[in-house]
Amino acid sequence: MSESTTTCDEHGPPPDLEAQPVIVEVRNVNKAYLRGSHIIPVLQDINFDIREGEFLALMGPSGSGKSTLLNLIAGIDKVDSGTIVIGGVDITALGETELAHWRATHVGFIFQFYNLIPVLTAYENVELPLQLTGLTRAERREHVEMALSVVNLAHRMDHYPSQLSGGEQQRVAIARAVVTDPTILVADEPTGDLDRASAKEIMSLMCRLSRESGKTIIMVTHDPKAAEAAQVIRHLDKGYLNHANS
Amino acid sequence: MRVPVSYSFRNLWTRRLTTILTASGMALVVFVFSAILMLAEGLQKTLVDTGSWDNVVLIRKGSQSEVQSGIERLQASVIETQPEVAVGPGGRRMLAKEVVVLISLPKRGTDKPSNVIIRGVSGESLSMRPQVKLLEGRMPKPSSSEIIAGESVSRRFTGAGIGETLRFGMRDWTVVGIFDAGNTGFSSEIWGDADQLMQAFRRPVYSSVIFKLRDASAFDAFKARVESDPRLTVEAKRETRFYADQSEMMAKFLRILGMSLTIIFSLGAVIGAMITMYAAVANRTAEIGTLRALGFQRRSILGAFLMEALLLGFIGGAVGLFLASFLQLLTISTLNFQTFSELAFSFTLTAEIVWQALLFSLVMGFVGGVLPAFRASRMKIVDALRTT
């Protein structure tokens, strides 16, 4: 992991969050898992807002519920109670099909282990989310090439994931996450599987997306140095959100 | 929106060894399935091609074949005078009174005996069967103990070659000609003079009367009249129908045998496909989670895995059919249960068999893939992503 702190300042000044509208409202969210006959609370009464253009880092020890919270905001898991409103849409009220449609247009995913489809080329991986839109093949090509050029991998578009390094695979995953121009980017330990240099490169790319493109990013990380790139850091502990923000 | 087909195709390509092994199992089943259908088709085609649409065969009512039939000379004369009988060059009626007997002859090489049809023919027999052509030698002289042998018989039976002598009906018969009848049942027959054969076998009656219709559409009226004529106890059939009926029992037997074998084999192939597809789902759980997270619906995942199983089935089907197509080069002989005579025929591949075999292979792929595909589509996104 990176030894030197990654700051985003070289990519421009941070946005004035107070002037930005709230894009994510998390209200009274509770989530518990059933393990055998035991109910294990994972998130308890979570309340917070994320403003448009905010780069938020969610931190906390293992089992604190940060990934669960990220999954709830990304619409791939369901709350037990409470609401999550994103861009004016209460995603906790959406059915499965509507939620899938919503994810396709509003969420970009960046996973710890990249989660690229191994049998598809970099180009095809990035094109995947666009298959869910009504774009023509030519329009899709234009979007994919642009996304790959943003992550500086346009020259590797015909390579399969196995032909790319970890850092390159994560850059392809970032291109896949941004290609649909989603409302929010969710990143779960995006540097967790990378060497120091690659991690720094990925964080630099995330900074560019935040500062230059104004993307709203919610990142879960264990790494305090990676978290320092974020404008806002929130801590979770044993399912509770620590309201003393960094 | 569907997951791209290339995803399914490339997953099969990536797991080449598993794909080849699974598809091979399916190919074997499709090979057996196609071979049996080709066998039945070849048998039917051979016998149906034996007949002509505008020829009519009359045999004794209730007889299953010419061998069991008997038509008295007087009855044959009544039929000969019917107005539907075509008149050929020189004013001759295009009608043949034939006698059919079964004899047992030793096969070349093994000396094992097998039944062969001896057909006693009359003047018009040859002209009514344009598919029968003399390959070598000459036609038998009338009222002589000369015979001609079908090409298939001359090749496979001792003493049936040109210039050789066969002993049956307490006489020696000299083979003076070899005829080719294409892929028809006549190729498996020996022809001689009808009157000589009737004397030799002490048969006072003909086996059948065959004639060419003056007007092919007049068959139904002729049939109705002749079958209700109290002087005649005969049954009239178009020659094509007559020979198709001859193949029915054998073809049905082959189909039942083939289907039984195919069903047993296909169970194994389907289980193989199911294991392959379950393994594919287990190995790609994280991929499934990723696709779902990106916004692909459950039905898209179901479709992608079903597509993969169908492709697997299609590959197996195409390979099985390709291999089965080489069977067309083989000619086999078997006993026709209906006539108790040896019949040589080829495996015949038709468009319908291709279609049936491919459909069958797709059904195997579908059955093998449907449960694993359902499992893939029912996974919870979070659980699937956790297996990374």
Side-chain angles (χ1 to χ4, degrees):
Chain A
M1 214 59 63
S2 62
E3 281 172 353
S4 59
T5 303
T6 308
T7 65
C8 292
D9 292 342
E10 62 190 87
H11 298 287
D16 176 10
L17 290 181
E18 293 304 315
Q20 297 295 320
V22 172
I23 191 115
V24 180
E25 293 172 50
V26 181
R27 293 288 177 270
N28 309 318
V29 165
N30 288 283
K31 177 77 181 172
Y33 287 121
L34 195 64
R35 201 158 290 162
S37 56
H38 297 284
I39 296 170
I40 299 169
V42 183
L43 294 172
Q44 300 188 68
D45 199 29
I46 304 291
N47 287 280
F48 70 103
D49 291 341
I50 302 171
R51 290 182 179 274
E52 196 170 321
E54 184 174 326
F55 187 170
L56 166 71
L58 284 172
M59 297 194 72
S62 295
S64 60
K66 53 190 188 303
S67 287
T68 302
L69 181 56
L70 190 76
N71 290 340
L72 293 175
I73 294 170
I76 57 174
D77 205 353
K78 284 282 194 182
V79 297
D80 290 343
S81 63
T83 56
I84 299 173
V85 178
I86 300 178
V89 178
D90 180 2
I91 64 164
T92 56
L94 297 179
E96 193 178 278
T97 306
E98 294 164 308
L99 199 55
H101 280 302
W102 178 82
R103 281 196 305 273
T105 45
H106 293 284
V107 187
F109 287 90
I110 302 165
F111 301 98
Q112 179 178 359
F113 299 105
Y114 336 126
N115 287 39
L116 298 177
I117 307 297
V119 297
L120 301 182
T121 62
Y123 178 92
E124 290 163 333
N125 266 288
V126 177
E127 192 190 21
L128 259 185
L130 295 176
Q131 303 272 8
L132 298 164
T133 65
L135 295 179
T136 64
R137 184 188 285 257
E139 287 167 337
R140 291 204 302 266
R141 172 161 278 276
E142 197 180 316
H143 281 69
V144 173
E145 285 174 353
M146 185 170 288
L148 281 169
S149 65
V150 166
V151 298
N152 202 20
L153 277 176
H155 61 296
R156 308 292 301 268
M157 65 167 68
D158 294 327
H159 288 70
Y160 287 91
S162 59
Q163 297 167 318
L164 301 172
S165 69
E168 286 171 328
Q169 287 187 57
Q170 193 61 298
R171 278 152 62 194
V172 173
I174 291 172
R176 181 180 65 184
V178 299
V179 73
T180 53
D181 192 20
T183 311
I184 54 169
L185 282 179
V186 294
D188 193 354
E189 302 276 10
T191 58
D193 194 47
L194 297 175
D195 59 49
R196 204 176 301 159
S198 300
K200 194 167 182 191
E201 208 176 325
I202 292 302
M203 286 318 301
S204 171
L205 192 51
M206 304 266 290
C207 284
R208 271 180 60 202
L209 292 172
S210 169
R211 298 288 170 92
E212 294 174 14
S213 308
K215 290 283 168 207
T216 306
I217 303 172
I218 307 152
M219 176 178 73
V220 161
T221 184
H222 269 111
D223 181 8
K225 291 188 175 65
E228 280 172 25
Q231 202 176 347
V232 178
I233 300 175
R234 292 185 187 273
H235 294 271
L236 274 157
D237 191 19
K238 292 176 185 165
Y240 290 98
L241 190 67
N242 182 348
H243 283 275
N245 296 338
S246 309
Chain B
M1 184 57 82
R2 285 188 306 132
V3 177
V5 177
S6 57
Y7 171 74
S8 305
F9 186 77
R10 285 193 213 153
N11 269 306
L12 287 177
W13 180 247
T14 304
R15 294 175 291 117
R16 281 188 287 280
L17 183 64
T18 317
T19 301
I20 288 168
L21 290 175
T22 312
S24 300
M26 290 185 163
L28 178 68
V29 179
V30 173
F31 177 84
V32 173
F33 180 77
S34 309
I36 299 294
L37 291 183
M38 287 165 71
L39 202 62
E41 183 66 28
L43 176 73
Q44 279 192 318
K45 187 174 185 304
T46 297
L47 285 170
V48 170
D49 284 356
T50 304
S52 301
W53 173 248
D54 55 356
N55 282 357
V56 177
V57 178
L58 293 113
I59 56 172
R60 192 182 63 203
K61 203 171 271 181
S63 304
Q64 298 296 313
S65 66
E66 286 173 290
V67 177
Q68 299 164 344
S69 166
I71 295 181
E72 288 171 16
R73 287 173 185 271
L74 188 62
Q75 290 179 321
S77 301
V78 171
I79 295 164
E80 197 170 9
T81 58
Q82 297 300 312
E84 286 85 358
V85 178
V87 177
R92 284 174 300 144
R93 291 193 160 256
M94 298 292 285
L95 177 138
K97 300 165 195 169
E98 296 183 345
V99 63
V100 172
V101 287
L102 271 181
I103 62 162
S104 181
L105 289 179
K107 281 188 172 178
R108 290 189 196 276
T110 65
D111 268 358
K112 275 187 182 169
S114 188
N115 286 347
V116 176
I117 286 180
I118 308 286
R119 184 178 293 275
V121 296
S122 61
E124 297 309 318
S125 292
L126 201 63
S127 58
M128 284 194 300
R129 278 128 182 178
Q131 69 271 47
V132 178
K133 291 183 177 64
L134 203 60
L135 274 184
E136 53 179 312
R138 57 174 175 79
M139 290 300 290
K141 286 178 190 158
S143 308
S144 70
S145 296
E146 291 179 347
I147 51 174
I148 54 174
E151 192 267 335
S152 168
V153 172
S154 76
R155 210 167 6 93
R156 291 183 299 114
F157 287 89
T158 307
I162 192 155
E164 293 181 310
T165 304
L166 286 171
R167 183 161 182 82
F168 56 83
M170 294 170 39
R171 280 198 212 174
D172 288 325
W173 301 78
T174 308
V175 181
V176 296
I178 305 295
F179 65 88
D180 172 39
N183 288 323
T184 69
F186 295 130
S187 286
S188 302
E189 293 183 357
I190 291 171
W191 286 11
D193 181 89
D195 291 327
Q196 292 301 310
L197 284 163
M198 286 168 83
Q199 282 175 27
F201 287 99
R202 292 180 178 79
R203 284 196 64 161
V205 292
Y206 296 110
S207 302
S208 59
V209 175
I210 295 104
F211 72 87
K212 187 180 279 293
L213 283 165
R214 189 190 296 262
D215 171 9
S217 62
F219 172 74
D220 291 337
F222 169 78
K223 180 180 168 70
R225 196 181 66 247
V226 88
E227 288 184 357
S228 59
D229 190 326
R231 295 170 297 171
L232 305 170
T233 49
V234 295
E235 190 178 354
K237 287 181 181 177
R238 285 196 191 269
E239 203 178 22
T240 44
R241 179 73 254 160
F242 175 78
Y243 284 108
D245 289 349
Q246 299 278 293
S247 65
E248 202 170 277
M249 190 192 287
M250 186 74 176
K252 195 180 278 180
F253 169 76
L254 286 174
R255 287 205 170 95
I256 291 171
L257 176 74
M259 290 304 158
S260 310
L261 279 174
T262 304
I263 288 168
I264 293 165
F265 280 22
S266 66
L267 284 177
V270 164
I271 290 168
M274 209 176 275
I275 290 169
T276 300
M277 290 310 297
Y278 268 125
V281 171
N283 289 334
R284 279 153 43 206
T285 305
E287 273 177 54
I288 295 165
T290 306
L291 289 168
R292 296 267 288 114
L294 292 179
F296 286 95
Q297 307 274 358
R298 285 188 196 279
R299 61 172 179 273
S300 303
I301 305 298
L302 181 77
F305 278 88
L306 269 183
M307 174 60 74
E308 204 167 313
L310 289 174
L311 276 171
L312 198 59
F314 181 78
I315 293 167
V319 171
L321 260 177
F322 176 72
L323 295 176
S325 69
F326 288 101
L327 291 173
Q328 290 178 105
L329 303 173
L330 295 178
T331 299
I332 59 162
S333 63
T334 189
L335 186 78
N336 185 355
F337 299 157
Q338 205 99 2
T339 60
F340 296 105
S341 63
E342 174 114 341
L343 181 72
F345 58 96
S346 305
F347 288 85
T348 305
L349 185 62
T350 62
E352 197 184 352
I353 293 175
V354 170
W355 182 84
Q356 286 175 335
L358 285 179
L359 183 69
F360 178 64
S361 62
L362 290 176
V363 168
M364 277 198 295
F366 180 84
V367 174
V370 71
L371 288 178
F374 262 113
R375 171 183 276 193
S377 71
R378 300 309 302 171
M379 280 178 184
K380 279 184 155 181
I381 303 174
V382 173
D383 294 341
L385 287 172
R386 215 171 271 148
T387 61
T388 305

